[in-house]
Amino acid sequence: MIAIIKKYKAEIIFGIILIVHFSGIIKNIEVYEIGIGAIVVAYGIYEKIKNRNKMRKENILILKTNNAQYRKTSKLILGIIAIIFSVTGFQYTAFEKPFLTVLIIIGFLLVISSLLTENSSFIEILNKRLRFENDIDLEISDISSIKLSESEIIFNQTNNKSSRIACLDNNKESIEQMKKYFEKNLNKIEFE
């Protein structure tokens, strides 16, 4: 039960917010909802900074996904729109001041988040295991070869299975960095 809650925590929180919103239990719920949004954006910034420090370790390989630039641009645009809407709202509309204050905070947080480098994903080698976020967890001794391309990494295993990391945005330089990383951390690995 706890594993299910951890896996679907965002959906559960969103569901609770919807129930509270439409039930009318709390007056001026919009201010609280946008406050929760500010907390979520601030937590995202905290996670980026934490991951930036974590990725300085030798056993971490940073992967750039092909939607990283889209996320960065969309956060910047949404942040600027929130700031402009808040500033004009203070001057020309009858919106509640707490709502506009929290909205302007979200705008600035989104702009800050967009300016931080987007380390989309990473591979970590720890305790003789290769881990990619929560999807892939392989014993290093089970990896027979690795195929690197501009859009994906394929880990071929000794039991004729394979694991794939797709939607990557690699160039020749990043592929060479990956080769060096795997050669250093995986003994006698073959590349296809």
Side-chain angles (χ1 to χ4, degrees), residues 63 123 132 136 151-155 163-168:
L63 301 174
I123 292 175
F132 170 71
I136 297 174
S151 62
E152 65 184 1
I153 301 172
I154 300 172
F155 298 99
S163 297
R164 175 182 313 246
I165 301 172
C167 300
L168 298 178

Side-chain angles (χ1 to χ4, degrees), residues 139-150:
E139 185 74 36
I140 290 176
S141 60
D142 291 341
I143 301 172
S144 61
S145 65
I146 300 174
K147 182 177 181 182
L148 302 172
S149 70
E150 291 180 359

Side-chain angles (χ1 to χ4, degrees), residues 101-150:
T101 303
V102 176
L103 187 62
I104 202 166
I105 291 169
I106 285 180
F108 281 113
L109 288 172
L110 284 170
V111 169
I112 291 168
S113 180
S114 72
L115 296 176
L116 292 173
T117 55
E118 189 75 40
N119 296 325
S120 301
S121 299
F122 59 91
I123 292 175
E124 181 178 27
I125 296 177
L126 191 63
N127 299 328
K128 297 185 180 181
R129 299 194 71 80
L130 183 139
R131 294 188 176 123
F132 170 71
E133 295 179 0
N134 294 329
D135 298 86
I136 297 174
D137 187 2
L138 302 173
E139 185 74 36
I140 290 176
S141 60
D142 291 341
I143 301 172
S144 61
S145 65
I146 300 174
K147 182 177 181 182
L148 302 172
S149 70
E150 291 180 359

Side-chain angles (χ1 to χ4, degrees), residues 20-46:
V20 171
H21 178 82
F22 288 115
S23 69
I25 296 170
I26 301 174
K27 293 182 180 181
N28 299 328
I29 189 71
E30 295 83 10
V31 175
Y32 296 107
E33 290 171 345
I34 202 152
I36 291 171
I39 291 169
V40 168
V41 174
Y43 183 75
I45 292 171
Y46 164 75

